[in-house]
């Protein structure tokens, strides 16, 4: 393998001339409130932000994420001041303002500026204009009585931790010693972590390329680099040429866990079930090496999401068979696309609550319902049951979820092993807890480093 220092773009500190003037804050607050209202209605944060004008989107996303991380507090404060919940659009704008200004030490703008611009946003919005005076009165009362109102909400766990009550209680049960640390980590910002494509360069060489354009990074794992400050992918050296991918360090464990111990010199058939957007598929191929006879089938039920797999593989210069089908219905695709031949290894990154990636997707906590966990666990169990027969004797299946809930991890696997006597649980990471635990004291089943919450279980099928 020949490694190369990636090309460096122009100095990232250079500023373009003639940049457009920033959008007024009231317009951003309108868009934030609209996105919050959409999320309350069941729409994902990604979809809600996609509806925002492109010019407004970066600023709106930053404010919206801050609002979502303080929504529990904001709703509790609103209840202290208002006996009856305002109409949805007005309530979304009021709670957005409260979430942004309740803590002056962490506020993105001065409190009076936020209040004035919130009222301006209300006056300029047909859906909220009639409540502009009401919002003005509520917010100015909050400024006068801030300390007392905040103290009055401190005893509310939803306000304290900014998660639904059921979520807090589930974590208390699953992690009696660490539930508070998990909730706190969920309210922090996640780092931007890169996975270096070792078929094209090395982590050390890529770090040098980042240093050359003043992007500080720290090595992590086999091929990872954690950026001190997030950067647009357009500024990353060689990104379009496939030198690097954006992937959390916990997710980077999948490929080595599945491939280590396999004989990569002989032809191997690997299935990546639920594969979109293709990051783990590509990592399997990168790590196996250009000359390895690895045949990877990437399965995805959603045609639109499967297109992202093609884009990922194309950018990174690796190849896999991409099949649009339901992994839980192998009779529809196994014989037709895979010849009905068993796989040597299967990666099942199962649909889950995403409770381990709340730092990156703060809307998840407000979208999920307690009943979702049992429903998702049922889906995971069906996928395990459907895919296990496709594994050859002696083969291995890596089950993983980006969830911290035991029902989607440890409990799921224990139940599967108990009902499948030909399944052996190999040494596995288990539950990885989100956050930077090597700085704050590790919990028993966590690894050092700043990573998302994940679960991994490596299962091997008996030879006969």
């Amino acid at each position: 393998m020949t490694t190369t220092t990636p090309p460096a773009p122009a100095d990232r500190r250079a500023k373009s001339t003639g940049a457009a003037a920033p959008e007024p804050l009231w317009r951003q607050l309108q868009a934030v409130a609209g996105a919050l209202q959409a999320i309350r209605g069941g729409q994902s944060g990604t979809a809600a932000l996609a509806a925002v004008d492109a010019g407004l989107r970066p600023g709106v996303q930053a404010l919206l994420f801050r609002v979502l991380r303080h929504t529990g507090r904001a709703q509790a404060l609103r209840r202290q001041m208002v006996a009856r919940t305002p109409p949805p659009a007005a309530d979304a704008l009021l709670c957005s303002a409260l979430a942004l200004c309740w803590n002056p030490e962490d506020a993105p703008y001065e409190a009076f500026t936020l209040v004035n611009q919130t009222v301006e946003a209300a006056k300029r919005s047909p859906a909220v204009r009639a409540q502009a005076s009401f919002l003005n009165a509520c917010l100015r009362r909050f400024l006068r009585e801030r300390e007392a109102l905040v103290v009055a909400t401190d005893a509310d766990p939803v306000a304290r931790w900014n998660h639904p009550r059921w979520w807090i209680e589930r974590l208390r049960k699953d992690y009696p010693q660490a539930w508070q640390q998990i909730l706190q980590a969920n309210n922090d910002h996640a780092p931007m972590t890169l996975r270096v494509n070792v078929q094209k360069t090395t982590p050390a060489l890529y770090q040098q390329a980042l240093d050359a354009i003043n992007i500080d990074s720290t090595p992590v794992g086999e091929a990872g680099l954690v950026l001190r400050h997030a950067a647009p992918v357009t500024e990353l050296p060689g990104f379009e040429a496939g030198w690097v991918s954006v992937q959390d360090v916990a997710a980077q464990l999948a490929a080595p866990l599945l491939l280590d111990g396999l004989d990569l010199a002989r032809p191997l058939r690997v299935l990546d079930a639920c594969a979109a957007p293709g990051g783990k598929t590509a990592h399997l191929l990168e790590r196996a090496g250009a000359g390895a006879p690895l045949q990877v089938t990437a399965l995805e039920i959603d045609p639109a999401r499967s297109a992202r797999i093609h884009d990922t593989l194309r950018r990174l210069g690796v190849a896999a068979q991409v099949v649009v089908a339901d992994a839980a219905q192998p009779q529809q695709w196994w014989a037709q696309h895979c010849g009905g031949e068993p796989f040597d290894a299967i990666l099942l990154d199962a649909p889950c609550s995403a409770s381990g990636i709340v730092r990156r997707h703060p809307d998840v906590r407000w979208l999920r319902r307690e009943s979702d966990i049992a429903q998702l666990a049922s889906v995971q169990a069906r996928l395990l049951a459907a895919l296990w027969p496709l594994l050859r004797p002696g083969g291995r299946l890596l089950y993983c979820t980006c969830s911290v809930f035991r029902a989607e991890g440890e409990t799921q696997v224990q139940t599967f092993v108990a009902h499948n006597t030909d399944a052996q649980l190999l040494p596995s990471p288990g539950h990885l807890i989100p956050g930077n635990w090597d700085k704050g004291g590790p919990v028993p089943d966590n690894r050092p480093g700043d990573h998302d919450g994940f679960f991994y279980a490596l299962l091997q099928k008996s030879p006969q």
Side-chain angles (χ1 to χ4, degrees):
M1 178 186 71
T2 301
T3 58
T4 310
T5 301
D11 192 320
R12 69 192 301 259
R13 294 173 300 178
K15 297 181 179 179
S16 61
T17 58
E23 295 286 351
L25 181 56
W26 65 263
R27 282 201 65 199
Q28 296 185 54
L29 292 172
Q30 278 184 335
V32 168
L36 178 61
Q37 186 178 355
I39 290 167
R40 287 174 164 179
Q43 194 173 111
S44 73
T46 300
L49 284 168
V52 176
D53 290 343
L56 278 173
R57 198 173 298 145
V60 169
Q61 177 172 312
L63 291 175
L64 176 64
F65 277 24
R66 187 182 289 264
V67 166
L68 292 168
R69 292 185 176 111
H70 297 285
T71 288
R73 177 73 72 170
Q75 292 176 161
L77 290 168
R78 185 255 290 146
R79 286 194 297 271
Q80 288 290 318
M81 295 187 294
V82 182
R84 183 178 299 177
T85 304
D91 188 53
L93 186 55
L94 175 58
C95 286
S96 294
L98 290 170
L100 292 171
C101 72
W102 80 272
N103 181 4
E105 295 181 0
D106 188 48
Y109 299 94
E110 291 292 333
F112 284 104
T113 299
L114 284 166
V115 170
N116 290 336
Q117 290 296 292
T118 299
V119 175
E120 187 68 18
K123 291 177 179 178
R124 292 173 179 262
S125 172
V128 188
R129 187 176 298 130
Q131 286 83 38
S133 296
F134 161 77
L135 292 178
N136 184 47
C138 283
L139 291 171
R140 295 196 181 279
R141 177 191 168 188
F142 173 73
L143 294 186
R144 294 193 306 270
E145 304 175 20
R146 184 203 324 255
E147 185 174 347
L149 289 168
V150 170
V151 169
T153 63
D154 281 341
D156 181 350
V158 177
R160 169 69 179 84
W161 297 109
N162 289 288
H163 285 69
R165 191 176 301 272
W166 69 263
W167 190 304
I168 298 170
E169 292 306 314
R170 183 175 285 269
L171 285 181
R172 287 179 65 126
K173 180 180 178 181
D174 284 353
Y175 302 94
Q177 305 302 318
W179 64 274
Q180 292 177 313
Q181 294 96 313
I182 295 171
L183 291 168
Q184 182 59 56
N186 284 352
N187 289 324
D188 292 336
H189 297 267
M192 183 173 180
T193 305
L194 309 179
R195 184 190 79 237
V196 176
N197 184 349
V198 295
Q199 294 306 308
K200 297 193 173 185
T201 187
T202 68
L205 286 174
Y206 197 82
Q207 188 174 30
Q208 291 176 18
L210 292 176
D211 289 342
I213 55 171
N214 302 308
I215 298 180
D216 294 333
S217 63
T218 303
V220 62
E222 286 188 349
L225 294 170
V226 179
L227 302 189
R228 184 176 181 182
H229 301 291
V233 294
T234 53
E235 295 186 7
L236 298 177
F239 180 81
E240 290 301 326
W243 298 103
V244 70
S245 298
V246 178
Q247 188 180 48
D248 184 78
V249 67
Q252 292 183 34
L253 292 175
L257 282 169
L258 187 62
L259 295 181
D260 282 356
L262 296 179
D263 183 2
L264 297 178
R266 72 176 184 85
L268 292 175
R269 293 166 50 80
V270 178
L271 172 67
D272 183 0
C274 314
K280 296 183 182 67
T281 304
H283 194 193
L284 289 167
L285 293 161
E286 289 173 16
R287 197 174 189 281
L294 197 70
Q295 302 173 30
V296 177
T297 298
L299 204 64
E300 174 55 45
I301 191 173
D302 186 335
R305 284 173 55 81
S306 71
R308 297 182 61 191
I309 303 176
H310 287 290
D311 293 340
T312 298
L313 298 178
R314 187 180 306 112
R315 183 180 66 82
L316 295 171
V318 292
Q321 177 184 219
V322 180
V323 177
V324 179
D326 184 355
Q329 302 290 331
Q331 69 274 13
Q332 298 178 1
W333 54 267
W334 187 35
Q336 178 182 356
H337 296 284
C338 305
E341 294 294 322
F343 294 100
D344 298 284
I346 296 175
L347 170 59
L348 173 54
D349 186 0
C352 70
S353 63
S355 57
I357 56 173
V358 176
R359 301 187 302 170
R360 302 183 190 280
H361 301 278
D363 57 312
V364 166
R365 71 189 87 180
W366 307 116
L367 288 171
R368 289 287 177 228
R369 300 294 179 263
E370 186 172 13
S371 59
D372 292 344
I373 309 307
Q375 293 173 2
L376 287 163
S378 178
V379 171
Q380 295 152 8
R382 288 201 304 272
L383 286 167
L384 278 167
L387 295 176
W388 188 250
L390 311 188
L391 190 66
R392 70 164 175 83
R396 53 175 56 178
L397 182 150
L398 181 64
Y399 171 81
C400 61
T401 63
C402 55
S403 173
V404 294
F405 295 144
R406 301 283 187 187
E408 300 180 278
E410 180 183 359
T411 303
Q412 183 72 260
V413 169
Q414 287 178 347
T415 302
F416 179 80
V417 171
H419 289 85
N420 292 269
T421 57
D422 60 346
Q424 177 190 3
L425 178 60
L426 300 180
S428 307
H431 281 282
L432 303 178
I433 311 305
N436 201 346
W437 294 92
D438 54 342
K439 293 183 179 179
V443 293
D445 52 358
N446 203 49
R447 292 187 170 194
D450 193 348
H451 52 67
D452 289 341
F454 246 80
F455 175 82
Y456 284 107
L458 184 61
L459 301 165
Q460 186 166 38
K461 182 177 279 191
S462 300
Q464 293 296 336

